[in-house]
C-alpha cells in the first residue's frame, strides 16, 4: 500500500488535647537529650511518607512555567508527550546520584530527572537548568495502537503534508517509498507526524530558508531510523520492529536538515 499525499472533639476534648500536648513535650525533651531534634523526628516521617507515595505509571505533570506533559512509564521504553505537541518522545533511563533517574531523548539530551522521593525536574531549551514539575494525577496511556486503517494512515499523511506546507510556505508532499502493512502502519504515520513537527519547529526558529529547499518528504523503510536530505527530497527512514523508537525524533530530523 503506497500512499501519496479539621477534627471535632467530644466531651473531655480539651483534657485529651492537653494530655497529647504534655506527651509531645515529654517526647521532645527525650529527643533533645538524645541529640535528636523535632525536625529530625517529623522530617524523617515525612520523607518516609513521600517514598511510599508512588506516582502512577502513566501520569500528568505540570511544570512551574506551566508546561504540561504526560509521562508513560508503563512500557519498557518510557514515553513523554507535551500537551501542546503531537509528538511522542521515546526516552531512555539511566541511574543518577542519590538514587535519582535521568530520562534522555534520542540525542542523549536530558529531558527529565526523577528523584527517589517522587520529585520531577523538566529540562527544556528555554529552561536548560531545569524546571520543577508537580504530579497532577493519572493520565491516559500515550502508547500507540498496534495498527491503523488505510484511511487513517492516508489522513495522517495528508495532515502532515498540510502542516509542513504551512511551515515551509510552499507545498511539501509526503509519499511512502515502501508498501505500508498493518504492522508498519502506525510507524509510518508517526514518522510523518514527527517530520511535520520538525518543519513547524524550524519555522518558529526562523529557519524558513532551509525549509525552502524541501519539496518532498519520502518515508522509507530501513535498518535504523534516520534522515537524509538530497536536493529537494527529504528521506526519513523508519525501522520496523522497534516501536516508536524505530523512527527519528523531530530533533534528529532538524539536525539533518541543518547540515
Amino acid at each position: 500500500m503506497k500512499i501519496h499525499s479539621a477534627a471535632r472533639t467530644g466531651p473531655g476534648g480539651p483534657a485529651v488535647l492537653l494530655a497529647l500536648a504534655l506527651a509531645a513535650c515529654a517526647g521532645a525533651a527525650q529527643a533533645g537529650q538524645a541529640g535528636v531534634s523535632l525536625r529530625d523526628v517529623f522530617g524523617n516521617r515525612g520523607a518516609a511518607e513521600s517514598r511510599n507515595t508512588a506516582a502512577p505509571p502513566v501520569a500528568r505533570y505540570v511544570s512551574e512555567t506551566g508546561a504540561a506533559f504526560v509521562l508513560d512509564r508503563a512500557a519498557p521504553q518510557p514515553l513523554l508527550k507535551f500537551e501542546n505537541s503531537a509528538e511522542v518522545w521515546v526516552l531512555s533511563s539511566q541511574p543518577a546520584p542519590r538514587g535519582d533517574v535521568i530520562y534522555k531523548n534520542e540525542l542523549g539530551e536530558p529531558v527529565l530527572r526523577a528523584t527517589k522521593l517522587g520529585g520531577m525536574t523538566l529540562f527544556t531549551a528555554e529552561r536548560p537548568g531545569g524546571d520543577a514539575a508537580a504530579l497532577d494525577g493519572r493520565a491516559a496511556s500515550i502508547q500507540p495502537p498496534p495498527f491503523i486503517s488505510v484511511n487513517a494512515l492516508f489522513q495522517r499523511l495528508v495532515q502532515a503534508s498540510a502542516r509542513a506546507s504551512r511551515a515551509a510556505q510552499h507545498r511539501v508532499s509526503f509519499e511512502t517509498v515502501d508498501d505500508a502493512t498493518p504492522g508498519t502502519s502506525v510507524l509510518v504515520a508517526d514518522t510523518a507526524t514527527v517530520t511535520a513537527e520538525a518543519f513547524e519547529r524550524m519555522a518558529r526558529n526562523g529557519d524558513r530558508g532551509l525549509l525552502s529547499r524541501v519539496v518532498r518528504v519520502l518515508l522509507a523503510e530501513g535498518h535504523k531510523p534516520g534522515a537524509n536530505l538530497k536536493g529537494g527530497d527529504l528521506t526519513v527512514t523508519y525501522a520496523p520492529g522497534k516501536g516508536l523508537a524505530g523512527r527519528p525524533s523531530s530533533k534528529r530530523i532538524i539536525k539533518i536538515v541543518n547540515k
Side-chain angles (χ1 to χ4, degrees):
M1 172 181 65
K2 289 188 180 181
I3 302 178
H4 301 270
S5 302
R8 294 179 61 185
T9 59
V16 174
L17 291 177
L18 178 60
L20 290 174
L22 291 173
C25 291
Q30 293 173 0
Q33 293 171 1
V36 181
S37 68
L38 283 176
R39 182 176 181 179
D40 294 329
V41 174
F42 294 106
N44 290 339
R45 184 185 66 181
E49 288 173 350
S50 297
R51 293 190 189 98
N52 293 332
T53 305
V58 185
R60 182 179 186 269
Y61 295 84
V62 180
S63 74
E64 289 181 324
T65 55
F69 61 91
V70 172
L71 177 62
D72 191 337
R73 290 182 282 192
Q77 286 187 296
L79 302 178
L80 179 145
K81 181 184 179 299
F82 292 97
E83 290 190 349
N84 63 348
S85 171
E87 181 170 7
V88 175
W89 295 85
V90 180
L91 306 178
S92 59
S93 61
Q94 68 177 49
R98 301 188 301 275
D100 295 356
V101 176
I102 294 180
Y103 295 93
K104 296 184 177 182
N105 62 19
E106 177 195 14
L107 299 181
E109 301 169 333
V111 178
L112 291 172
R113 185 183 185 113
T115 72
K116 63 180 181 180
L117 299 182
M120 191 74 71
T121 303
L122 173 68
F123 301 97
T124 62
E126 295 77 16
R127 298 290 293 270
D131 190 13
L135 174 65
D136 191 51
R138 296 181 181 274
S141 175
I142 53 176
Q143 298 286 339
F147 63 89
I148 58 177
S149 68
V150 174
N151 184 61
L153 175 56
F154 176 77
Q155 293 300 322
R156 290 282 293 274
L157 265 64
V158 169
Q159 293 167 4
S161 176
R163 292 175 61 192
S165 298
R166 284 195 299 268
Q169 296 185 341
H170 66 263
R171 176 170 172 74
V172 179
S173 64
F174 276 61
E175 304 175 10
T176 57
V177 174
D178 304 280
D179 290 342
T181 67
T184 64
S185 59
V186 171
L187 190 55
V188 173
D190 206 68
T191 302
T193 296
V194 297
T195 303
E197 188 75 17
F199 273 65
E200 291 179 340
R201 289 184 60 188
M202 292 181 68
R204 289 195 297 269
N205 293 335
D207 297 333
R208 295 187 185 274
L210 293 170
L211 291 177
S212 65
R213 299 158 51 189
V214 184
V215 297
R216 185 170 61 165
V217 173
L218 302 175
L219 308 176
E221 187 173 325
H223 297 295
K224 62 180 181 179
N228 178 60
L229 179 60
K230 185 176 182 180
D233 290 343
L234 174 63
T235 301
V236 184
T237 307
Y238 58 90
K242 297 183 179 182
L244 294 184
R247 48 78 172 156
S249 67
S250 61
K251 275 199 168 186
R252 182 171 292 279
I253 295 173
I254 293 172
K255 188 175 182 179
I256 295 297
V257 176
N258 279 328
K259 282 186 177 181

